[in-house]
Structures are given as structure tokens and as C-alpha cells.
Amino acid sequence: MARILILTTENSLEWVKQVEALPVEPCEYSFMVYQSLEHLKDIFLEQIRLVDGVLFSGQIPHFFVQQHFPDVDIPMLHFDVTQTDFYRALSEYMYTNRDFQLKRCLIDFLYEENNYLGVKEWTEEEDFPYIFDATMQSYADQQVYEKMTNYHVKLWKEGKIDVSMTRLSRLPDILKPYGVNLILVVPSQRSMVEKVNELLKEIQILQLIENQVVIAHLELSITRENFRDLEYKQMSLYKAILDFSRKNNMKFIIHQNTFFYEVITNYSDFKLITSDMESCKLVSYLSTELPFVVKIGWGIGNSIQAAQLNAEKAAHLCTTSETQSYILTKEAKLIGPLGSEDYIQVDTQYDSATEKLSAKLNTTSLQLKKIIAVMNKLQTNILSAEDLSIHLGITERAANRILKKLEEKGAAKVTTQQQKKLRGRPKKVYQLYLEEV
């Protein structure tokens, strides 16, 4: 059963509570009333870890939270006045007030992001109603309620409007002393059902993502010289994996092979370990705890077999003399090496143009895609061996060999670039012409 938090003002609580009787999938609702947008920030931070999704009574609190907590990935929506709800309220008022003029009306919930609820499509410019602001950006202001109230009062006192329409349930009480003719528009039950179902769908999708299979392939670098140390390395690596899981309160399923370990975990823990696929805490831990190199490949898939294959492929891309980590997602996107601001993302799916180019240059399509990814990240086609070394996690010698080979095939030209703040010989760089080969 989904746990849904509903954040609302005291004035909206009555109609919001109708959600408990709606014909939707059973949910566990909790209601929290906020007194101000600053109070809302505190409640939000306290409660989001306890629920699966959040519903707001209106667009202002929702937009405010989105602007102040952009990295929160929990599903969040707000009960909204749909076009149907709006035109029903407008029609009812026009029926009983035959002298109504739209141009003498203030509607504070029309803006560009909701396409002005279609009003611009059927009105002339001179007949368009007053609005609070053309964009929702203004609604993220902590003083938005005060500013909106003042705007209603100002237009009313100046005699520019005969009626105001609002979504803010607290405005009727605030504007009553001023005698403002106000229509409060709230979402219909039908709109509320649609919104709850939409949120439940987002929660289910997120849960499916969280339940993806994630496998880490941890491979030892074995050579003829260090083969005798294999048993020691296996035991040390196994202990380090267990210690890491205990210290981070994570449950791993560990499978041992002769030269590698497979660690099966869930997507949530994987995101924590990799800081949302940007760095790798396991790399940092093993680099500190172990005196030897470990290649770590993370594989994501809808099945164990798919995740295993992706993890093994990712591990084989670790080519440096230090512990390193790559990710290969189920969409075939390669990310790494993790732990550096210089990591790149590469789409490894089959691409006919790249395959043809790789055949001409006698190199792998993956290597070409990685080089292109570096150029895209640096926003230049002029690269040095150091650039490739940093972004691909390889030695400068290996990077030089790659660039030299491209030069021999006519896909690169040697040039020079004066080093900043340094004396001596200019830096050797290559200008790449991959698209012209």
C-alpha cells in the first residue's frame, strides 16, 4: 500500500480530505498542515523519508518545494484546477451574472506553463483577463501570498475589476474586509482521482526502477608475477567487501569465482554507493584498505544474467594501475571512470556510422565513441594525450598511441599549444577530424 503525504493549508484541509473517499487504489494517507512556505520547508524535510509520494493542495507549494529542493527524487504532484474545473466555475458565474466581462476579471492561476487554461485561444488581446504573472517562476517567492493579496486589493480599489478568481483557499478570509468579489475555484473530485492515480503510477514506476538488478563485478588483476598471491588477495578482498557492507548497513549477496567476486545489491543501495552514478564509495574504500588493484564494473539489468554481463563488460574497461570503477546501464550507457569530475558517458549501442568509421580507422567503435565523448565534454576537437588519459582512465603512453594511430589514418593532425603559466616547450596536441575521414 502506497504511503502518500498530503501537504495543505488549514483552509484547504476540508476539501483535500475528500481524497480518503475517492474510488482509487487503497492508500495510506497522512495530512500535514503548514502555516507558511518557510514552515512547509521544515515539514517537507522531516516527512519525505517516511512516505512513497507527496501531494500538495495547490501549485504554489509544489512549485516552491521544487525550486528549493531540486535534487529530491520522490514522486510529487499537486491537486490542480483543470480546464474543465475552471470553465465550469466560470460558466456558473456567467449564468447568474449576465453583465460579466472577462477583461474586468482577475484570474490568479493563469500563466504560460498551464497555457493560460486555453483562455488565450478564444479571446482577443483587449478582452484578456488580468493575471498575477505570466510565468510560474514568480510563485516560488516566499512572499507570493502577500504579493498576490496586495495585487487583488489594488485592482479592486482602482475599480479595474468586478470579480476575482483564485485557487488560494486562504484568500477569501483575507480579502473579505476589502469587499472583493471573489470566486474560490477548487479541484473537482474527478480531477483529484486523476491526480492520485497519476501519482500512484509514478510511485509504481519508481519502485520498478528501485527493484532493478544491480551487480558489481570485482576483478583482481592477476599476472604471472603475482599469481602466487592470489589466495591472499581473494581473502583480503572478500573481507573488505564484508566490512564495507557492514559499515554502510547494506546487505550484499556475494558470489566467489577464481579471479573475481560478484556482489548483488539493490538499486537504492547502488545509488548511494555511486552517489547517483557520479563517484564510487567502494573504490575509495578498497583503495584505502587493499594494497592491490581491483577492477570494479557495475551492471544494471532487468535480469540477473543481463546485469552480470553488463558488470563484466564494465569491469574490463578498467585499465589503469589503480582501483577503478565503471557502470554499464541496461540502456547500454557506459559511465566512468567514477570518482573523477572528468568521467564521461558513452552510448555503447550499435551505430552504423560509427561502425563504418571504426573499420576505416582500424579501431574499435567503443574507443571512437569514448574519444567523441571526451571532445563533447571539453567542447573541442583539439585533444592532448593528457586529456584522453584523464577522461578515459588510461596512461598517457596509451593515450599517445591512440592519437598517433588516428594521425596515421588521417583522422588527426599534430599541432602545438603553449602551456599556460609554464615555460619551456609548447604542449603537443592533436586536432581531430573524425567526421571527415
Side-chain angles (χ1 to χ4, degrees):
M1 182 182 296
R3 299 165 299 169
I4 297 177
L5 169 66
I6 299 182
L7 293 166
T8 179
T9 61
E10 184 69 43
N11 302 78
S12 296
L13 185 59
E14 183 178 352
W15 69 261
V16 165
K17 280 223 166 190
Q18 296 178 51
V19 71
E20 295 178 304
L22 296 179
V24 296
E25 181 182 319
C27 303
E28 181 184 321
Y29 296 107
S30 58
F31 300 86
M32 298 291 293
V33 175
Y34 63 91
Q35 307 302 324
S36 65
L37 291 178
E38 190 63 36
H39 184 213
L40 172 63
K41 287 167 67 175
D42 297 334
I43 293 176
F44 183 78
L45 287 175
E46 290 174 1
Q47 298 294 321
I48 55 170
R49 298 183 185 278
L50 307 176
V51 297
D52 301 309
V54 179
L55 278 169
F56 298 87
S57 57
Q59 81 274 24
I60 290 179
H62 183 193
F63 188 68
F64 180 81
V65 165
Q66 284 181 317
Q67 293 296 302
H68 287 80
F69 304 102
D71 297 327
V72 173
D73 56 4
I74 187 172
M76 297 187 297
L77 296 173
H78 65 268
F79 289 119
D80 206 1
V81 170
T82 64
Q83 279 188 275
T84 302
D85 298 335
F86 165 62
Y87 285 112
R88 180 181 290 114
L90 186 62
S91 299
E92 288 175 357
Y93 184 81
M94 291 174 65
Y95 183 76
T96 55
N97 297 268
R98 300 301 175 90
D99 58 346
F100 171 80
Q101 296 181 68
L102 188 64
K103 65 181 179 181
R104 292 186 55 78
C105 178
L106 166 60
I107 305 173
D108 65 22
F109 50 88
L110 300 185
Y111 34 80
E112 186 177 336
E113 286 83 353
N114 66 1
N115 194 33
Y116 304 98
L117 292 179
V119 175
K120 276 201 170 185
E121 297 175 9
W122 55 270
T123 58
E124 299 294 335
E125 186 176 347
E126 61 270 19
D127 292 325
F128 194 72
Y130 289 94
I131 61 174
F132 175 66
D133 201 283
T135 175
M136 274 200 71
Q137 299 295 326
S138 301
Y139 293 76
D141 188 339
Q142 286 191 203
Q143 307 300 320
V144 62
Y145 291 115
E146 181 181 346
K147 291 179 179 180
M148 194 174 288
T149 299
N150 293 337
Y151 188 54
H152 279 272
V153 173
K154 177 178 179 291
L155 293 182
W156 180 258
K157 285 184 174 181
E158 292 175 352
K160 294 181 178 179
I161 58 172
D162 301 318
V163 63
S164 288
M165 299 185 75
T166 186
R167 271 227 50 202
L168 303 184
S169 55
R170 63 174 65 175
L171 273 190
D173 291 340
I174 296 174
L175 296 179
K176 190 175 182 180
Y178 299 96
V180 177
N181 185 15
L182 189 69
I183 302 172
L184 177 63
V185 185
V186 299
S188 64
Q189 289 195 9
R190 179 176 179 179
S191 300
M192 293 174 70
V193 167
E194 292 175 355
K195 197 59 64 173
V196 173
N197 284 333
E198 186 180 345
L199 182 68
L200 289 173
K201 184 177 180 180
E202 288 198 17
I203 291 172
Q204 290 166 358
I205 290 173
L206 183 61
Q207 289 174 342
L208 284 175
I209 293 173
E210 298 293 332
N211 290 328
Q212 289 181 110
V213 180
V214 181
I215 291 179
H217 181 101
L218 290 83
E219 189 169 307
L220 297 167
S221 293
I222 304 299
T223 64
R224 182 178 299 178
E225 289 74 21
N226 64 20
F227 187 78
R228 294 180 180 177
D229 299 331
L230 179 58
E231 187 174 352
Y232 155 73
K233 290 183 176 180
Q234 287 175 326
M235 293 174 60
S236 299
L237 178 55
Y238 183 71
K239 180 180 182 301
I241 295 170
L242 289 177
D243 289 343
F244 178 84
S245 66
R246 292 193 194 101
K247 289 181 179 180
N248 291 277
N249 195 29
M250 296 175 178
K251 294 182 179 179
F252 290 164
I253 299 174
I254 305 173
H255 291 161
Q256 181 181 357
N257 193 285
T258 305
F259 299 110
F260 64 86
Y261 283 94
E262 278 187 350
V263 175
I264 303 176
T265 186
N266 58 57
Y267 193 75
S268 297
D269 284 349
F270 160 72
K271 288 199 298 181
L272 289 174
I273 296 169
T274 62
S275 301
D276 286 330
M277 296 190 276
E278 290 188 354
S279 61
C280 186
K281 295 177 183 178
L282 186 55
V283 166
S284 301
Y285 184 79
L286 296 184
S287 298
T288 302
E289 297 296 316
L290 301 178
F292 51 85
V293 172
V294 180
K295 300 178 181 180
I296 305 174
W298 294 95
I300 307 171
N302 292 324
S303 67
I304 290 178
Q305 291 79 8
Q308 283 176 324
L309 182 60
N310 286 342
E312 187 174 354
K313 287 180 179 178
H316 289 166
L317 293 168
C318 301
T319 56
T320 64
S321 57
E322 59 187 18
T323 295
Q324 201 178 66
S325 178
Y326 278 86
I327 299 169
L328 189 57
T329 70
K330 64 184 180 69
E331 295 84 13
K333 181 180 288 186
L334 176 67
I335 305 171
L338 302 183
S340 166
E341 293 182 357
D342 303 305
Y343 75 92
I344 58 173
Q345 298 190 28
V346 182
D347 186 352
T348 63
Q349 290 183 323
Y350 178 84
D351 174 59
S352 59
T354 307
E355 293 296 329
K356 290 178 181 178
L357 184 58
S358 70
K360 286 183 180 179
L361 299 178
N362 192 27
T363 187
T364 66
S365 60
L366 178 58
Q367 188 172 86
L368 281 178
K369 288 181 177 181
K370 289 164 77 173
I371 294 170
I372 293 169
V374 175
M375 290 193 295
N376 290 338
K377 183 159 188 174
L378 297 179
Q379 296 288 293
T380 180
N381 69 331
I382 300 176
L383 300 178
S384 67
E386 183 183 8
D387 292 328
L388 280 190
S389 172
I390 291 172
H391 290 86
L392 302 187
I394 58 178
T395 64
E396 281 199 39
R397 179 177 294 182
N400 262 315
R401 285 199 297 267
I402 293 172
L403 292 170
K404 185 70 175 174
K405 185 176 180 180
L406 291 177
E407 181 194 5
E408 293 170 353
K409 293 292 182 179
K413 181 181 179 181
V414 178
T415 183
T416 56
Q417 181 175 303
Q418 187 65 46
Q419 298 186 68
K420 295 179 181 179
K421 298 181 182 180
L422 292 176
R423 295 180 179 179
R425 296 171 59 187
K427 185 178 182 181
K428 183 178 180 180
V429 295
Y430 290 79
Q431 189 160 9
L432 277 62
Y433 306 94
L434 298 181
E435 295 181 358
E436 300 176 18
V437 177

